[in-house]
Amino acid sequence: MSSLYETAFRRVLFPLYESGLRRRPTLAYMKEYEQNQWLSSSELAELQWGKLKRLIEHCWRDVPYYQRRWKELGVTPDDLQSFDDYARLPILNKAEIRANFEDLHATSLRKGLLYKTTGGSTGEPLRFGYTRESYERRTAVMWRGYSWAGARMGRRMLYLWGMLIGDPSLTHRIKESIYHYAFNRYMLNAFLMSEERMPEYVERFNRYRPEVVVGYAGPLLRMAEWIRDRKPPIHQPQAILSAAEALHNAQREVIEKAFGCPVFNTYGCREVMLIASQCEQRDGLHLSADHLRVELESLQTSPSGEHIGEVVLTDLHNYGMPLLRYANGDLATAADGPCGCGRGLPRVRRIDGRKLDTLRTPAGHLLPGEYIVYAFLGIASIKHYQVVQRELSALDVNLVPDSGFGEHTRQQIRAELAKVVGDSVSIRFHEVDQIVASPSGKFRVAICELGQDATTS
């Protein structure tokens, strides 16, 4: 029955709604991106440069911020003839966007823009605008990336996702219910999930019997750990897509074992939606290079010698409020060589998480959450943990103890962390009742509260 509905939705219902009722070209964009993924790397680079060059020329003509900024730098579009030239333009950060919000709008496209606001987990939400074409293209790119994991539109999907908390209007609830019903999806609110409510969430999961699950990495991991520890009967979906936060390999293994299916990683942000996804090979994540320009700026090395860089984005189709070379605060590890799937889209090896969630060592290395996860992997007498860095030479470790916890546990954690941070870093333990999720529903394994220029203790 589900496959019949999937076919009917993709071939009849969605086209009637999107092209007939809403008169949007999303289907044409989906076809375009489906074809683009099989271009060679050189053909994709040529396609991307053409889109980028047109966007640069538009910004020079129509966006006051870039007109002023590039004149100050003595730069014109004629000076930008390659990706290397483009990479020399200044990076756009969130403070710069807030200070120049109005001037970043294209003069001719101010009317009719759509707006979103980032979650603001650092205490400073960011508002940004985008065109309808950009939104429709983002939707098309999202469905392409999700389809690689089998999450095609119309399939029976369960979302463990952030939802409104409070008392939305009856009209809003009706519209949401119809929308999710049409897409054949069931929503579980990640913001309201707790240890006490976990039996209810598992029961609702089993009752719905999804083919595919899409969820925040943190809540997926918490549910998987609960299933692992209590071993209730659990429905086995065909695939799980992790989104909204970094998923580390050790965490993936816990989720896969609990639910008995493969887990696919995706990466995106509210500013541009989907940035990268794993294909069937699950060997790194393919970047949406035919839709976005993605750079890894200021590459540094991890203790294992891998190259980590800050993610810098350019939406090639947002002409309304173009953000050129925008640093969203995330880190990723570079990947080399083609993927075995045959797609020409370039890859990153993994998403390392937010820059603010990456610890630093006195030796100058970056420590993404992946290292912290592995340090705690073999330690069984704690329920949850979080590592906070407020000084270069010290780490504060918040722990929710489990049965068997004691001084030997602290010594084991100290020894594991020393393998990646060295013996000169002091470890301070704090026993807590729970690790609280951020306002956006994410559980942060590591938090760095150092200033970005900290180099000594």
Side-chain angles (χ1 to χ4, degrees):
M1 182 63 71
S2 180
S3 61
L4 289 175
Y5 184 81
E6 177 191 339
T7 302
F9 184 83
R10 292 174 61 197
R11 296 182 180 178
V12 180
L13 299 179
F14 187 75
L16 281 175
Y17 174 77
E18 199 71 8
S19 301
L21 182 62
R22 300 303 298 270
R23 298 189 181 279
R24 295 190 296 209
T26 309
L27 289 169
Y29 297 147
M30 291 175 68
K31 182 177 180 181
E32 174 188 332
Y33 289 126
E34 283 294 317
Q35 295 171 342
N36 287 349
Q37 66 183 319
W38 301 112
L39 296 175
S40 67
S41 57
S42 59
E43 290 171 328
L44 281 164
E46 183 179 356
L47 174 66
Q48 186 185 83
W49 176 250
K51 291 184 176 186
L52 182 58
K53 187 67 174 174
R54 289 191 290 275
L55 180 62
I56 291 169
E57 291 167 352
H58 164 76
C59 290
W60 179 252
R61 290 192 308 268
D62 208 27
V63 183
Y65 171 81
Y66 296 111
Q67 293 170 343
R68 181 182 73 250
R69 189 77 176 94
W70 293 349
K71 286 176 182 177
E72 292 171 353
L73 296 170
V75 172
T76 71
D78 291 338
D79 298 317
L80 305 175
Q81 296 299 322
S82 67
F83 289 125
D84 288 340
D85 293 338
Y86 183 69
R88 286 191 281 271
L89 290 177
I91 286 179
L92 186 65
N93 58 37
K94 294 179 181 180
E96 190 81 359
I97 294 172
R98 293 187 189 98
N100 297 276
F101 181 79
E102 291 299 331
D103 281 351
L104 279 163
H105 287 70
T107 303
S108 64
L109 295 172
R110 285 182 176 273
K111 294 182 179 180
L113 288 189
L114 306 170
Y115 288 91
K116 281 185 180 180
T117 302
T118 62
S121 56
T122 61
E124 295 184 282
L126 178 70
R127 188 166 180 258
F128 53 93
Y130 53 99
T131 60
R132 293 186 180 278
E133 178 186 348
S134 177
Y135 172 75
E136 290 151 6
R137 285 183 172 275
R138 293 173 185 186
T139 300
V141 166
M142 180 198 74
W143 282 117
R144 179 181 68 179
Y146 278 24
S147 72
W148 297 339
R152 300 178 298 273
M153 62 170 60
R155 294 201 80 184
R156 190 174 181 82
M157 291 200 285
L158 180 143
Y159 278 69
L160 183 56
W161 207 252
M163 298 169 62
L164 286 176
I165 297 176
D167 189 22
S169 67
L170 177 61
T171 301
H172 178 84
R173 294 199 303 271
I174 292 173
K175 286 175 64 176
E176 286 284 292
S177 296
I178 294 173
Y179 178 78
H180 294 312
Y181 182 81
F183 272 87
N184 203 16
R185 65 171 62 135
Y186 183 76
M187 307 297 292
L188 282 177
N189 196 339
F191 293 167
L192 298 178
M193 194 178 79
S194 65
E195 192 78 9
E196 294 74 24
R197 297 190 66 183
M198 198 66 76
E200 171 197 344
Y201 273 58
V202 171
E203 190 277 329
R204 290 165 67 184
F205 180 95
N206 283 334
R207 189 179 346 125
Y208 186 68
R209 302 180 62 80
E211 294 177 288
V212 178
V213 177
V214 180
Y216 290 179
L220 282 171
L221 178 63
R222 291 296 171 92
M223 183 179 282
E225 290 171 336
W226 193 91
I227 294 167
R228 176 197 63 193
D229 296 340
R230 289 160 181 81
K231 297 179 174 56
I234 193 74
H235 166 72
Q236 182 177 323
Q238 295 176 23
I240 293 176
L241 276 75
S242 171
E245 51 190 317
L247 176 70
H248 306 301
N249 286 334
Q251 298 170 329
R252 179 207 299 270
E253 291 169 7
V254 173
I255 298 171
E256 289 184 336
K257 188 172 182 180
F259 290 97
C261 70
V263 174
F264 294 78
N265 204 1
T266 68
Y267 170 55
C269 64
R270 285 182 65 82
E271 294 91 326
V272 299
M273 286 178 57
L274 189 70
I275 299 169
S277 310
Q278 286 192 316
C279 69
E280 315 87 89
Q281 301 289 318
R282 295 196 295 163
D283 181 18
L285 293 87
H286 285 286
L287 296 167
S288 304
D290 49 346
H291 177 68
L292 304 167
R293 172 68 181 167
V294 183
E295 306 168 72
L296 296 185
E297 182 72 13
S298 302
L299 289 176
Q300 301 184 45
T301 58
S302 69
S304 62
E306 293 179 305
H307 294 290
I308 301 172
E310 184 169 9
V311 175
V312 175
L313 301 165
T314 303
D315 185 330
L316 300 172
H317 295 279
N318 184 10
Y319 279 56
M321 187 178 171
L323 304 181
L324 272 59
R325 306 204 72 229
Y326 165 61
N328 71 348
D330 291 336
L331 296 175
T333 297
D336 297 320
C339 180
C341 71
R343 294 178 178 87
L345 295 167
R347 295 172 300 142
V348 290
R349 184 164 304 283
R350 64 172 177 267
I351 307 303
D352 295 298
R354 301 192 325 157
K355 195 173 182 179
L356 294 177
D357 294 342
T358 301
L359 309 181
R360 281 174 276 169
T361 72
H365 292 305
L366 297 178
L367 290 177
E370 181 90 12
Y371 289 87
I372 304 304
V373 170
Y374 274 102
F376 283 82
L377 193 58
I379 300 171
S381 53
I382 55 173
K383 293 181 179 178
H384 305 296
Y385 60 87
Q386 184 180 72
V387 179
V388 182
Q389 186 175 34
R390 299 182 176 92
E391 308 166 41
L392 195 62
S393 60
L395 297 176
D396 288 289
V397 181
N398 299 320
L399 299 171
V400 180
D402 203 351
S403 58
F405 179 84
E407 181 58 30
H408 67 284
T409 311
R410 296 187 187 91
Q411 293 302 325
Q412 188 180 1
I413 295 171
R414 197 185 306 274
E416 290 299 322
L417 288 175
K419 293 178 182 178
V420 290
V421 302
D423 295 328
S424 62
V425 177
S426 64
I427 310 295
R428 301 184 293 232
F429 294 99
H430 310 276
E431 295 180 32
V432 298
D433 293 331
Q434 63 177 331
I435 304 296
V436 180
S438 70
S440 59
K442 301 173 185 177
F443 292 91
R444 299 168 67 181
V445 170
I447 299 175
C448 181
E449 296 182 356
L450 296 174
Q452 293 304 309
D453 58 349
T455 56
T456 64
S457 57

